[in-house]
């Protein structure tokens, strides 16, 4: 489904940070989701 059978492609950017709830250990936190283009047929 989508416009002319195109699918939106997104990328997730993760960042490593210390987390007080995890006793100061480093954990990966989602920083942002960005648009990277379309995929599929473009007839």
């Amino acid at each position: 489904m989508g416009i002319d059978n195109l699918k939106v492609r997104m990328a997730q950017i993760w960042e490593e940070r210390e987390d007080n709830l995890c006793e100061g250990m480093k954990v990966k936190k989602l920083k942002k989701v960005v648009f990277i283009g379309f995929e599929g047929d473009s007839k």
Side-chain angles (χ1 to χ4, degrees):
M1 187 133 172
I3 300 171
D4 296 327
N5 295 323
L6 293 176
K7 293 183 180 179
V8 174
R9 295 184 63 212
M10 305 295 284
Q12 296 179 344
I13 309 296
W14 293 82
E15 180 176 71
E16 198 172 84
R17 293 190 206 162
E18 288 184 7
D19 189 335
N20 292 335
L21 297 175
C22 292
E23 298 187 8
M25 292 187 293
K26 290 189 176 184
V27 296
K28 299 264 183 177
K29 301 253 182 180
L30 182 62
K31 184 174 180 180
K32 62 177 113 176
V33 178
V34 295
F35 171 77
I36 58 171
F38 295 100
E39 69 179 38
D41 345 309
S42 56
K43 293 181 181 178

